[in-house]
């Protein structure tokens, strides 16, 4: 494992670096992709019946802007940023040398746990309710397979070294599905997870505070309407709909 480059870095410096990464690679990227990608009609799989109904709810009529809202709002405000969140944080950990990409199939990152000093093989999840009942068995099977592989290859690994790292939330918020996994393999969430990967016990709480300040200062004026209007214009010109 490579030397942890932040061993001698002040907490304030690491907070600044991670906060800037969030700003550039998550928030600003979301803004630009919302206009570049989600304003294109071809990026949507449209249910022509439901989308007309949603337009009626949103605009009290079947209109280009109503359809645009029905398509654009869920994508920009939910799906697009939530889907990419975990992957971008995973990339951040690797880019900042807080962890390495795992060479073991099914694991996302590997890092030295700053609390117990042991190497951890980790699969990342965004939040405390991001898996469902159908995910539990495949996850347990995946972790068990890694354990068996470790024994076969004489790796110094036990069940506590395979963890499910949840990026935000508190232990009390974990769903029953996570709790079921936690009976066999540790589910490490929020403050505890960030402590283990950075070595800083209050890093998570301070990061949330820093991000609150950063978000408040973001220039978001008109970016939302710009993409929405572009999509509405394309819908108006499309042969998929008849607004007469």
């Amino acid at each position: 494992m490579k030397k942890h480059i932040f061993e001698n870095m002040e907490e304030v410096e690491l907070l600044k670096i991670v906060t800037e990464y969030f700003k550039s690679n998550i928030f600003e990227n979301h803004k630009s992709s919302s206009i570049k990608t989600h304003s294109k009609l071809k990026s949507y799989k449209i249910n022509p019946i439901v989308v007309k109904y949603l337009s009626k709810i949103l605009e009290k009529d079947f209109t280009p802007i109503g359809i645009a809202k029905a398509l654009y709002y869920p994508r920009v405000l939910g799906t697009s940023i939530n889907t990419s969140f975990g992957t971008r944080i995973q990339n951040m950990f690797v880019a900042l040398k807080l962890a390495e990409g795992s060479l073991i199939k099914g694991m996302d990152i590997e890092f030295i746990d700053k609390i117990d000093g042991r190497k951890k093989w980790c699969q990342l999840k965004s939040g405390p309710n991001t898996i469902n009942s159908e995910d539990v068995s495949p996850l347990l099977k995946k972790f068990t397979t890694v354990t068996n592989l470790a024994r076969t290859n004489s790796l110094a690994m036990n069940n506590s070294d395979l963890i499910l790292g949840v990026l935000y939330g508190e232990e009390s918020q974990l769903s029953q599905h996570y709790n079921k996994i936690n009976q066999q393999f540790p589910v490490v969430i929020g403050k505890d997870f960030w402590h283990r990967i950075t070595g800083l016990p209050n890093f998570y709480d301070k990061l949330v505070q820093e991000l609150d300040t950063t978000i408040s200062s973001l220039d978001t004026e008109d970016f939302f309407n710009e993409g929405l209007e572009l999509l509405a214009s394309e819908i108006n010109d499309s042969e998929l709909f008849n607004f007469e």
Side-chain angles (χ1 to χ4, degrees):
M1 191 80 175
K2 294 179 182 178
K3 185 177 180 180
H4 176 48
I5 66 171
F6 295 117
E7 284 177 351
N8 299 313
M9 180 177 286
E10 294 292 335
E11 184 176 45
V12 65
E13 294 179 79
L14 182 54
L15 277 168
K16 182 178 179 181
I17 292 170
V18 173
T19 300
E20 182 58 36
Y21 193 97
F22 268 82
K23 179 181 178 181
S24 300
N25 293 277
I26 297 179
F27 304 143
E28 297 292 351
N29 184 273
H30 172 249
K31 286 171 57 180
S32 62
S33 67
S34 293
I35 297 172
K36 181 179 180 181
T37 304
H38 307 315
S39 63
K40 306 295 184 183
L41 185 58
K42 66 180 181 180
S43 71
Y44 297 89
K45 295 180 180 179
I46 298 171
N47 182 326
I49 298 172
V50 171
V51 80
K52 292 177 182 178
Y53 165 71
L54 295 175
S55 174
K56 182 70 164 58
I57 290 176
L58 291 164
E59 288 292 303
K60 299 181 181 179
D61 199 359
F62 175 46
T63 64
I65 194 68
I67 291 177
K69 287 180 178 180
L71 297 173
Y72 196 72
Y73 282 4
R75 179 77 68 83
V76 173
L77 296 178
T79 307
S80 66
I81 192 166
N82 286 319
T83 300
S84 63
F85 181 81
T87 300
R88 292 193 181 280
I89 301 304
Q90 175 184 335
N91 292 340
M92 180 191 75
F93 288 146
V94 175
L96 300 183
K97 300 293 192 298
L98 289 167
E100 294 182 340
S102 182
L103 299 177
I104 297 180
K105 185 177 180 181
M107 297 292 107
D108 294 322
I109 57 173
E110 301 174 7
F111 66 96
I112 299 299
D113 189 320
K114 305 307 181 298
I115 294 178
D116 65 18
R118 292 184 61 85
K119 184 173 183 178
K120 294 292 190 288
W121 288 261
C122 174
Q123 184 172 127
L124 293 170
K125 296 294 180 184
S126 292
N129 289 293
T130 48
I131 64 171
N132 54 44
S133 58
E134 288 77 20
D135 296 321
V136 174
S137 291
L139 280 169
L140 287 174
K141 182 178 180 180
K142 189 177 294 184
F143 275 53
T144 301
T145 298
V146 172
T147 302
N148 294 336
L149 180 65
R151 292 196 184 106
T152 301
N153 291 279
S154 300
L155 289 176
M157 178 194 296
N158 55 47
N159 278 22
S160 66
D161 297 327
L162 287 169
I163 68 171
L164 204 55
V166 184
L167 295 170
Y168 65 85
E170 299 177 5
E171 188 174 355
S172 61
Q173 298 173 326
L174 286 170
S175 70
Q176 61 178 334
H177 311 308
Y178 277 115
N179 287 327
K180 188 172 182 179
I181 293 170
N182 197 38
Q183 293 173 8
Q184 297 185 49
F185 299 95
V187 177
V188 185
I189 184 170
K191 185 174 183 176
D192 187 21
F193 174 75
W194 287 86
H195 182 188
R196 290 176 182 276
I197 201 165
T198 67
L200 301 166
N202 297 311
F203 187 84
Y204 174 75
D205 292 336
K206 292 181 180 180
L207 177 61
V208 171
Q209 292 175 3
E210 289 293 323
L211 291 175
D212 284 347
T213 301
T214 297
I215 290 168
S216 296
S217 66
L218 287 175
D219 179 13
T220 56
E221 185 176 358
D222 292 333
F223 105 86
F224 194 88
N225 287 333
E226 181 180 348
L228 183 65
E229 289 167 5
L230 286 170
L231 180 59
S233 177
E234 192 172 338
I235 289 170
N236 188 55
D237 296 336
S238 172
E239 296 179 355
L240 292 173
F241 307 100
N242 182 2
F243 298 103
E244 296 180 359

